[in-house]
Amino acid sequence: MRIGELSKATDVPVPTIKYYLREGLLPAGELSSPNQAAYGEPHVRRLRLIRALVELGQVPVATVKEILESLDANTEPLHEQIGRAHRALTPTRRLSATDEARTAAATQVADLLRERDWTVDPEAPALATLIDTIAALRSLGQENLVAHLDTYAESVEAFTALEIDAVTANPTRDQVAESVVIGTILGETLIASLRLLAQESISAERWKDR
């Protein structure tokens, strides 16, 4: 397909596609004449991924390029590719908490990882975010929520296993990696939306007349 057809297939404007080509986010098409290039299904998939990252994930273009480079690094194991993408997607946050609460949180998380036998890089940004979040909850007097950490982890592990099984059904390595990245972005919104709806429903059942 030509660039105009690629634009229609992906709902991405032609000027935006040309910008992605200039920035190296989208691979060049195959030249069919000196002034014409042909694009195929890999370009459609890549544009959908870029759009998910930029528009839905609010990921800066420079970071998108880093993620795409990691996905294209076929010399790395798939686990490493996805890990690099996850790190680029995970924001670094520092929440307010007391030193005592942070120490207790770090101990609780370390115990959780050991008990659930999770293999996690000590430098994973999500690990630091989890510790900070638990510390903040403790500092705000919400120990009752922190007490359910293992139950949260069990539920998360169960639906994450379903997600991994679903994307593993994709036929190619590239499609697996792309699905994991898109699932990470949209999955957060999906889970958060379901959680809010469940809270609304349970609240209506328990406190509607109070």
Side-chain angles (χ1 to χ4, degrees):
M1 67 184 79
R2 293 184 177 180
I3 193 167
E5 296 170 312
L6 178 63
S7 173
K8 290 180 181 179
T10 59
D11 200 27
V12 177
V14 170
T16 303
I17 294 176
K18 290 181 177 180
Y19 169 68
Y20 292 156
L21 287 166
R22 289 196 304 272
E23 292 297 315
L25 274 66
L26 187 69
E30 183 178 348
L31 287 178
S32 55
S33 70
N35 298 317
Q36 291 286 346
Y39 303 90
E41 185 58 31
H43 293 91
V44 172
R45 286 205 320 269
R46 179 51 58 93
L47 268 176
R48 287 173 179 163
L49 176 59
I50 294 170
R51 189 177 182 188
L53 291 168
V54 173
E55 297 181 13
L56 301 175
Q58 298 294 302
V59 181
V61 169
T63 305
V64 171
K65 189 171 184 179
E66 179 184 342
I67 292 170
L68 297 178
E69 287 174 351
S70 71
L71 295 182
D72 291 337
N74 291 326
T75 56
E76 291 183 339
L78 183 58
H79 172 70
E80 296 297 330
Q81 282 183 282
I82 293 172
R84 285 179 59 188
H86 276 170
R87 280 155 179 71
L89 284 169
T90 306
T92 301
R93 292 187 296 174
R94 189 70 174 179
L95 304 177
S96 297
T98 64
D99 290 341
E100 181 181 1
R102 203 175 300 282
T103 298
T107 300
Q108 184 178 7
V109 171
D111 290 343
L112 175 76
L113 297 181
R114 183 176 60 255
E115 289 167 5
R116 301 206 66 83
D117 197 27
W118 283 5
T119 303
V120 174
D121 187 333
E123 301 300 320
L127 182 59
T129 298
L130 177 60
I131 292 171
D132 270 7
T133 302
I134 293 172
L137 285 168
R138 287 180 176 277
S139 296
L140 293 170
Q142 298 297 325
E143 288 85 354
N144 55 330
L145 293 177
V146 174
H148 296 298
L149 183 63
D150 190 64
T151 303
Y152 292 153
E154 184 176 1
S155 299
V156 169
E157 184 174 5
F159 68 67
T160 302
L162 292 175
E163 290 176 342
I164 297 298
D165 288 342
V167 302
T168 303
N170 286 321
T172 70
R173 173 190 175 105
D174 285 347
Q175 286 174 300
V176 169
E178 289 172 9
S179 294
V180 169
V181 172
I182 291 174
T184 298
I185 295 170
L186 295 184
E188 295 295 322
T189 304
L190 179 67
I191 293 164
S193 299
L194 286 171
R195 183 167 178 257
L196 289 172
L197 292 174
Q199 284 183 351
E200 181 176 341
S201 177
I202 294 171
S203 172
E205 291 175 3
R206 296 187 182 182
W207 303 318
K208 186 175 182 179
D209 299 323
R210 292 182 60 181

